[in-house]
């Protein structure tokens, strides 16, 4: 074509079909989470706000997962260069994935502070600080992905987009940084926070037994503790699903950046399968909330019912958060 653009229609291979299905499921599921949390925005606590931000990041990632036509040739123009650096590299999709990973890590840290330090929680985790964390997650996502602007370019001979690293050493360095920042550190930190939170909850349970609090869920403090356990169990599954979805592709891409896999790996069905698996994480969380969290199922029913506004409690944060009763406080002081 005289303009330099020559477009190819989408070829619906098996991985693109699965990717399209995953994208639509992620759009519907995460939109539902956002709508439900928005209807309770005046009641929301830090956990609700962070989970809403997680759903927003996954929603944006799902939108950019929708397959689209690709050009066979790209003109050597400003627009062509911009296409290679932004669209060809799927930059916005990867930034959204990064923001989702960092937000998930922040949720694990926030839950630990809420359980282990209830006296100081309201002062440590304020609304403004939560907003700062969310914005910082997106900024960090852009920073981590910014190397794509440097390595993506138009090949002069083929007139098509390609990625070229300055050297093998630079590629190894970037690959190592990405592997650490986008998988190893978030996974280890999230699992560590989950384990420490579970330990703090266990110690609080011991306090109930020692003080003879055997009223069960009829006791406000016991209900408070049970609600936190349900949220912790649900978020633990969210972290495990994140690890299962991302570990194969992240490990394989790390090995590729070390030069141990050929370039042909990037275009192999095996790599396509691993990428599709990682994409599945963007639609998994709403499913987990529905299956594992009764309050979320109730919120869905309320959203589509004729009677609106019956619930007057936060969704993922218990009503008494930050206001522990005496028995729970004593347990936290001992921790």
């Amino acid at each position: 074509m005289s303009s330099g653009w020559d477009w190819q229609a989408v070829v619906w291979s098996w991985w693109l079909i699965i990717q399209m299905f995953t994208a639509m499921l992620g759009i519907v599921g995460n939109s539902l989470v956002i709508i439900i949390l928005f209807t309770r925005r005046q009641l929301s606590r830090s956990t609700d706000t962070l989970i809403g931000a997680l759903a927003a990041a996954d929603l944006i990632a799902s939108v950019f997962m929708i397959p689209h036509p690709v050009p066979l040739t790209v003109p050597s123009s400003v627009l062509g260069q911009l296409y290679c650096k932004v669209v060809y590299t799927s930059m916005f999709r990867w930034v959204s994935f990064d923001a989702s990973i960092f937000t998930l890590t922040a949720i694990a840290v926030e839950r630990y502070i809420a359980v282990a330090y209830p006296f100081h929680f309201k002062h440590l985790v304020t609304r403004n600080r939560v907003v700062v964390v969310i914005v910082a997650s997106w900024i960090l996502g852009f920073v981590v992905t910014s190397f794509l602007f440097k390595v993506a370019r138009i090949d002069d001979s083929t007139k098509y987009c390609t990625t070229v690293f300055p050297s093998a050493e630079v590629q190894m360095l970037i690959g190592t940084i990405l592997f650490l920042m986008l998988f190893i550190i978030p996974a280890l930190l999230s699992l560590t926070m989950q384990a420490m939170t579970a330990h703090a909850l266990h110690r609080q349970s011991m306090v109930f037994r020692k003080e003879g609090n055997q009223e069960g869920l009829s006791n406000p403090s016991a209900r408070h503790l049970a609600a936190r356990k349900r949220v912790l169990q649900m978020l633990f599954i969210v972290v495990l699903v994140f690890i299962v979805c991302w570990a194969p592709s992240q490990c394989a891409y790390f090995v590729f950046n070390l030069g141990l896999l050929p370039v042909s790996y990037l275009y192999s069905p095996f790599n396509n399968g691993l990428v599709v698996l990682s994409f599945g994480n963007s639609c998994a969380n709403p499913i987990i909330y529905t299956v594992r969290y009764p309050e979320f199922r109730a919120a869905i029913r309320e959203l589509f019912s004729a009677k609106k506004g019956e619930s007057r409690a936060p969704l993922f944060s218990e009503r008494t958060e930050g206001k522990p009763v005496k028995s729970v406080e004593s347990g936290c002081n001992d921790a």
Side-chain angles (χ1 to χ4, degrees):
M1 295 178 63
S2 58
S3 63
W5 295 95
D6 185 11
W7 294 89
Q8 178 185 24
V10 176
V11 179
W12 291 100
S13 56
W14 64 267
W15 60 83
L16 283 185
I17 295 174
I18 298 176
Q19 180 177 324
M20 183 65 179
F21 175 79
T22 303
M24 298 309 298
L25 193 60
I27 291 172
V28 173
N30 288 294
S31 296
L32 186 61
V33 174
I34 293 172
I35 292 171
I36 290 175
L37 290 175
F38 182 78
T39 60
R40 302 179 180 218
R41 61 190 181 280
Q42 294 180 343
L43 309 167
S44 65
R45 305 291 174 86
S46 54
T47 309
D48 286 13
T49 303
L50 287 171
I51 288 182
L54 177 64
D58 288 337
L59 172 62
I60 296 173
S62 298
V63 170
F64 285 106
M65 281 165 48
I66 298 176
H68 54 81
V70 296
L72 294 174
T73 59
V74 179
S76 299
S77 61
V78 175
L79 186 59
Q81 293 288 352
L82 186 63
Y83 173 87
C84 288
K85 294 178 183 297
V86 177
V87 181
Y88 169 76
T89 60
S90 301
M91 170 168 285
F92 290 122
R93 183 174 67 195
W94 294 115
V95 169
S96 302
F97 281 139
D98 297 349
S100 175
I101 293 170
F102 297 141
T103 303
L104 178 61
T105 307
I107 292 173
V109 175
E110 183 267 353
R111 282 293 80 202
Y112 172 69
I113 297 174
V115 172
Y117 302 100
F119 284 140
H120 308 289
F121 179 79
K122 282 192 172 181
H123 302 288
L124 292 174
V125 186
T126 63
R127 183 177 296 273
N128 289 338
R129 288 178 179 175
V130 170
V131 173
V132 169
V133 168
I134 294 171
V135 173
S137 297
W138 283 92
I139 293 176
L140 187 57
F142 274 105
V143 171
V144 171
T145 317
S146 61
F147 76 96
L148 293 174
F149 277 103
K150 180 65 177 178
V151 301
R153 63 187 64 180
I154 300 174
D155 188 285
D156 293 331
S157 59
T158 63
K159 297 299 180 180
Y160 188 63
C161 300
T162 185
T163 54
V164 179
F165 290 87
S167 66
E169 291 75 17
V170 172
Q171 183 176 357
M172 291 174 60
L173 176 61
I174 293 176
T176 302
I177 293 174
L178 293 177
F179 187 58
L180 291 174
M181 291 193 65
L182 300 180
F183 182 70
I184 295 298
I185 294 177
L188 289 179
L189 184 57
S190 295
L191 289 176
T192 301
M193 291 294 102
Q194 292 281 342
M196 293 173 65
T197 306
H199 177 68
L201 284 173
H202 177 71
R203 297 197 64 174
Q204 292 175 13
S205 298
M206 293 299 100
V207 171
F208 281 120
R209 294 191 181 96
K210 290 179 181 178
E211 294 184 359
N213 290 315
Q214 302 297 331
E215 295 91 340
L217 292 180
S218 62
N219 183 282
S221 298
R223 292 198 301 270
H224 177 73
L225 188 60
R228 283 183 166 177
K229 285 183 178 179
R230 287 198 302 273
V231 174
L232 177 64
Q233 292 170 354
M234 181 194 67
L235 292 177
F236 179 68
I237 295 175
V238 170
V239 172
L240 286 184
V241 170
F242 156 71
I243 294 175
V244 170
C245 289
W246 281 100
S249 61
Q250 288 284 359
C251 291
Y253 188 61
F254 175 60
V255 174
F256 167 77
N257 283 320
L258 293 181
L260 301 179
L261 288 176
V263 177
S264 59
Y265 160 76
L266 294 179
Y267 310 98
S268 66
F270 179 67
N271 178 57
N272 292 329
L274 296 185
V275 171
V276 168
L277 176 62
S278 63
F279 287 174
N281 186 237
S282 294
C283 68
N285 292 341
I287 298 175
I288 296 173
Y289 304 154
T290 303
V291 173
R292 295 290 304 179
Y293 201 58
E295 287 83 350
F296 185 72
R297 295 197 297 270
I300 294 176
R301 290 193 297 269
E302 180 183 327
L303 182 66
F304 292 100
S305 66
K307 298 180 180 179
K308 303 293 184 180
E310 293 182 352
S311 176
R312 287 293 179 264
L315 184 56
F316 295 102
S317 301
E318 59 274 19
R319 188 190 297 271
T320 54
E321 181 175 318
K323 299 179 182 180
V325 296
K326 184 177 185 299
S327 58
V328 177
E329 290 178 355
S330 300
C332 293
N333 286 336
D334 294 337

